[in-house]
Amino acid sequence: MTGRLGSNPGLVPVLKSRHPRLEKPRRGPFTPAVIAARGAALLAVVTAVAVAALVRSPTGSASDSWAAQTSGTTSDLLADYCVSSTTCFVTGTPGVILATTNGGTTWTAQTSGSTSQLAGIFCTDATHCFVDGTGGVILVTSNGGSTWTSQTSGTANDLLDMNCPGATTCYASGASGTILKTTNGTSWSAQTSGTTQSQYSVDCPDATHCWSVGLAGTIRNTSNGTLWTGQGS
């Protein structure tokens, strides 16, 4: 899902919903052409800062609506993660990380120390988050984003998504079939995905079961956290 705010760049549209988190938009290859096409507008699903309040119509019936918020940037925003109805993080390019602790009333830019396109983010709680991006960048914070530290991914391939089914167990997926895993939140190892198709999204309901999807209808699955096999799409 994407959205534009016309002549008002830098505004973050937010869905006020009963759900604490929306599904992340599926991301394609972040080529200059794709980014240019997105223009200065922000991705609409940027942080489903689900302010956990339903907007009521004058008649009293419940309804969903979008409210614009000031992001403080005109950079492209690519991913978001909310750990609660008030605390959310947003990543983008170049090296953009924003955070809110008040449901999006105010957004604060954080220093990532990177100029990469930060395409994936996952937070295990309000203080611990993992981010990945182009060039194999992986960043981590253990203090809510006050400081971000770079980790060695072992790859120069673009990383496009991140999912952490545990406090220290995370998977990253990316270009050319890249899938990485950490079980200690520090060191990363490459897994054999069995495909060379770029993997745009990875989701894991637990530490051993994951699905990764990508180009040309590719679906890869693991049931032991190590061996990946194909599934028909």
Side-chain angles (χ1 to χ4, degrees):
M1 296 170 57
T2 58
R4 291 183 178 274
L5 296 180
S7 60
N8 296 292
L11 298 181
V12 179
V14 175
L15 178 65
K16 294 183 177 180
S17 167
R18 64 173 60 88
H19 301 294
R21 181 187 168 214
L22 295 183
E23 288 298 319
K24 294 184 292 184
R26 296 309 180 209
R27 295 176 283 283
F30 301 118
T31 62
V34 172
I35 291 177
R38 290 173 177 171
L42 310 177
L43 285 183
V45 193
V46 175
T47 52
V49 181
V51 190
L54 288 178
V55 176
R56 296 275 175 180
S57 71
T59 60
S61 61
S63 63
D64 289 333
S65 67
W66 289 88
Q69 296 184 336
T70 302
S71 69
T73 182
T74 57
S75 297
D76 291 313
L77 304 179
L78 305 175
D80 66 278
Y81 197 92
C82 296
V83 296
S84 72
S85 61
T86 57
T87 299
C88 298
F89 297 84
V90 176
T91 61
T93 183
V96 171
I97 299 179
L98 308 177
T100 181
T101 57
N102 56 18
T105 300
T106 57
W107 289 88
T108 302
Q110 298 185 335
T111 303
S112 69
S114 172
T115 57
S116 293
Q117 298 173 32
L118 303 180
I121 181 170
F122 198 100
C123 302
T124 57
D125 57 42
T127 57
H128 295 80
C129 299
F130 294 83
V131 168
D132 62 12
T134 55
V137 167
I138 293 180
L139 306 174
V140 62
T141 183
S142 59
N143 53 21
S146 295
T147 57
W148 288 87
T149 303
S150 176
Q151 294 185 337
T152 301
S153 67
T155 183
N157 290 340
D158 293 343
L159 299 177
L160 306 175
D161 199 20
M162 176 76 68
N163 192 277
C164 301
T168 59
T169 298
C170 299
Y171 294 81
S173 64
S176 301
T178 300
I179 296 180
L180 308 179
K181 180 182 180 180
T182 180
T183 56
N184 58 13
T186 302
S187 57
W188 294 82
S189 59
Q191 297 199 314
T192 302
S193 67
T195 182
T196 58
Q197 301 287 1
S198 292
Q199 299 296 288
Y200 293 142
S201 180
V202 60
D203 221 336
C204 307
D206 58 49
T208 57
H209 294 81
C210 299
W211 280 261
S212 179
V213 299
L215 280 178
T218 303
I219 299 178
R220 308 301 293 176
N221 164 253
T222 181
S223 58
N224 60 13
T226 301
L227 178 65
W228 292 80
T229 57
Q231 293 186 332
S233 61

